[in-house]
Amino acid sequence: MERLQKVMANAGVASRRKSEELIQAGRVKVDGKVVTQLGTLVHSKNVIEVDGIKLEREDHVYYLLNKPRGVITSTSDDKKRKTVVDLIETDKRIYPVGRLDYDTTGILILTNDGDFANYLMHPANEITKTYWVKVKGILKADAIHALEEGVVIDGKKTQKAKVKLRRVDEKNHTCMVEITIHEGRNHQIKKMIQSVGFEVLKLKRERIAFLDLKGLKSGEYRMLTPKEIKKLYALSNIQKNRL
Ligand code: URA
């Protein structure tokens, strides 16, 4: 059983707040009867109508995509650029969980399950994300330490991160670092690297928690298994219990 406004929002009728307004305005029927009580619980078999139009309820789907460069992390784009949703063959109204920049590649989850998306993105759940970063210049120990302890970006200090120097290319004056964070601030990795005086040349997200890109070439995707979804939720529970 789920709250009516949540079912409406998940089906893409409107935001949860707007759905509440629709309910209160008497525009929603459950099994033929107008319902104005917020929080009314509905079953998957109940027929919901909004302004006389039957609501199509979608099964939840979960995809893991290896995002290529040059694709926008959005459901649509004014400039008609290709979006991550265009890469997945589905008739469901999926959207990306979080954001990768246009030029960032790597692991991205897409779903039509709003609760799952919120769960993954909520900072309290501390879901880790691991990035491979190609940096112009060679990071020294003091910069790595600063990145690990937290640097100020957009006026706010970042939380602790794990930073490992993986490769140094003296000849081309570049290095590869692996950075693990559990926040998801806008352009976070690029801004963190900038804050210590360097520039990101290439960025790839390699892992979200225990999920990686094994078996997925650039642009390919697969469905998450029920076991993986359960394991992601369990991770967050462990972390909640620790707080
Ligand atoms: N940090 C960034 O700077 N860009 C991304 O796409 C992801 C994390």
Side-chain angles (χ1 to χ4, degrees), residues 4 8 22-23 26-30 33-35 48-50:
L4 180 55
M8 288 166 65
L22 292 171
I23 295 168
R27 291 167 62 184
V28 182
K29 280 185 190 166
V30 176
K33 284 198 197 101
V34 172
V35 169
I48 301 166
E49 287 166 79
V50 180

Side-chain angles (χ1 to χ4, degrees), residues 50-111:
V50 180
D51 290 338
I53 296 166
K54 195 174 154 213
L55 198 114
E56 296 297 335
R57 293 164 78 177
E58 292 190 339
D59 290 335
H60 287 151
V61 288
Y62 308 86
Y63 294 97
L64 192 69
L65 168 73
N66 185 353
K67 177 194 173 296
R69 184 185 294 260
V71 177
I72 185 158
T73 306
S74 175
T75 52
S76 62
D77 184 44
D78 303 344
K79 297 181 202 150
K80 300 254 182 295
R81 287 173 297 184
K82 195 177 243 185
T83 74
V84 286
V85 172
D86 294 334
L87 298 176
I88 293 179
E89 246 179 84
T90 179
D91 56 357
K92 305 279 193 292
R93 281 174 290 226
I94 56 168
Y95 46 84
V97 179
R99 218 174 152 268
L100 289 179
D101 295 335
Y102 190 64
D103 58 352
T104 300
T105 60
I107 191 164
L108 182 72
I109 292 173
L110 296 102
T111 184

